Amino acid sequence: MKLSTDFPIPVATHTLSPTSKVLCTGSCFSENMGKRLDDLSLELLNQPFGTQFNPIRILKALAFETLKATDLYAEGDFYLHPDFHSDFISQNPEDLLAEIHLKQEETKAFLKQADTLLLTFGTAYFYHDKILNRPIANCHKQASQRFDKHMNQVYEITQAYRAFIRSHPRLHIILTVSPVRHTRDGMMENSVSKATLRLAANELTQEFPDQVTYFPAFEIMMDELRDYRFYENDLIHPNEMAVDYIWEKLKETYFSSELVALEIAWE
């Protein structure tokens, strides 16, 4: 008896080897896969700027722009930066900027040497800060009146990534869409957001077939693992069994025979 709707995933022509240099960034899926890759011999930089969800906000972090103290949010006695995760927090604004700058320099140097970028889009929605007069990546629980909510269109995402891909011709991108529903956006709104991300991912893989491949983490969760036994108690996030299943699919798709043998030996 067949109890799930499975589908074939083509083996990638670009594979990960024991000497690969991999940068993982974006939504939670990249972080979860990065943690597993980190158990192997790969050179890995996992979520250097913390979890980020919107494709263009992810790309902005990889632009390594000069930071300004006037952009910081004050939260009690602490300061945070709206373009970065709350992993970056300090009571001293100069210390915060210095910490982020060090991570920018580390990531910039790693990206120059990396051969693979594991990138996960989480949501097409983003917030525009009316005081700073620009889009931001993280509201850091500031007053809701400060922000307007918008959604990126497919052409905005593809246009931004087209320039990035062309400027990194040696970099292979494993592109995924997070299977985690953003329920706070609304279920119907989340569907539109995920569809937007999936269309953008498809356009990029069609335009750059030798440089960008799509790994169907979203489809695996929605179709093969279409059962709440594969979810955490919040019924939103994949549980450990689901993550393990998707990890096995990722290995079948992207691991070279040398890396498979290494993982077996490592275990």
Side-chain angles (χ1 to χ4, degrees):
M1 182 181 294
K2 191 174 182 180
L3 297 177
S4 69
T5 306
D6 57 358
F7 57 92
I9 304 172
V11 176
T13 54
H14 170 88
T15 57
L16 299 176
S17 73
T19 58
S20 291
K21 295 180 173 64
V22 184
L23 172 62
C24 300
T25 191
S27 191
C28 305
F29 176 77
S30 286
E31 181 175 0
N32 286 329
M33 296 300 103
K35 287 177 180 177
R36 286 164 167 75
L37 289 170
D38 202 26
D39 288 335
L40 304 173
S41 67
L42 306 169
E43 280 193 57
L44 182 86
L45 187 57
N46 192 19
Q47 294 287 60
F49 301 118
T51 308
Q52 295 184 310
F53 301 101
N54 176 269
I56 296 182
R57 297 303 98 205
I58 295 167
L59 205 55
K60 181 177 174 62
L62 294 176
F64 312 115
E65 295 176 352
T66 302
L67 308 176
K68 298 184 292 185
T70 52
D71 280 351
L72 299 182
Y73 293 166
E75 182 65 34
D77 295 330
F78 293 91
Y79 292 89
L80 304 105
H81 197 290
D83 291 330
F84 300 94
H85 193 269
S86 55
D87 289 344
F88 298 98
I89 186 169
S90 177
Q91 291 181 301
N92 185 301
E94 296 303 322
D95 289 346
L96 175 62
L97 294 176
E99 180 186 359
I100 298 174
H101 178 70
L102 282 175
K103 186 59 69 174
Q104 285 179 316
E105 292 299 305
E106 177 191 357
T107 307
K108 184 191 299 185
F110 189 91
L111 184 58
K112 287 180 179 178
Q113 301 298 321
D115 52 63
T116 306
L117 173 64
L118 177 54
L119 173 65
T120 305
F121 295 163
T123 178
Y125 286 103
F126 68 95
Y127 288 89
H128 187 277
D129 187 314
K130 291 184 282 189
I131 296 176
L132 298 178
N133 193 29
R134 67 174 183 82
I136 53 91
N138 200 316
C139 297
H140 294 304
K141 300 183 179 179
Q142 300 295 296
S144 60
Q145 297 88 342
R146 179 169 181 158
F147 306 99
D148 287 327
K149 186 177 181 180
H150 301 279
M151 191 181 80
N152 286 128
Q153 300 303 305
V154 173
Y155 78 89
E156 295 176 305
I157 299 170
T158 55
Q159 182 176 332
Y161 275 87
R162 189 176 291 118
F164 175 81
I165 293 166
R166 287 172 176 162
S167 65
H168 296 82
R170 294 176 57 252
L171 186 68
H172 183 83
I173 300 174
I174 300 173
L175 186 55
T176 66
V177 171
S178 170
V180 178
R181 297 177 181 88
H182 287 241
T183 55
R184 283 183 292 182
D185 292 330
M187 293 303 284
M188 292 181 291
E189 292 82 356
N190 172 75
S191 293
V192 175
S193 168
K194 296 294 187 185
T196 299
L197 299 178
R198 187 62 188 90
L199 282 168
N202 185 65
E203 286 195 14
L204 291 171
T205 57
Q206 293 293 315
E207 186 170 350
F208 301 97
D210 296 328
Q211 203 173 345
V212 183
T213 57
Y214 176 75
F215 177 72
F218 179 83
E219 288 81 359
I220 292 171
M221 197 70 209
M222 294 299 106
D223 292 310
E224 288 200 35
L225 305 182
R226 188 174 47 190
D227 190 307
Y228 279 114
R229 63 184 161 150
F230 297 113
Y231 286 84
E232 296 285 4
N233 291 336
D234 63 5
L235 304 182
I236 299 297
H237 289 83
N239 61 19
E240 192 71 16
M241 180 165 56
V243 175
D244 286 344
Y245 183 89
I246 296 172
W247 166 246
E248 291 300 321
K249 293 288 187 178
L250 184 81
K251 290 194 301 182
E252 291 172 9
T253 306
Y254 288 101
F255 274 28
S256 67
S257 57
E258 293 83 5
L259 190 56
V260 170
L262 177 72
E263 188 201 27
I264 293 170
W266 207 269
E267 290 178 352

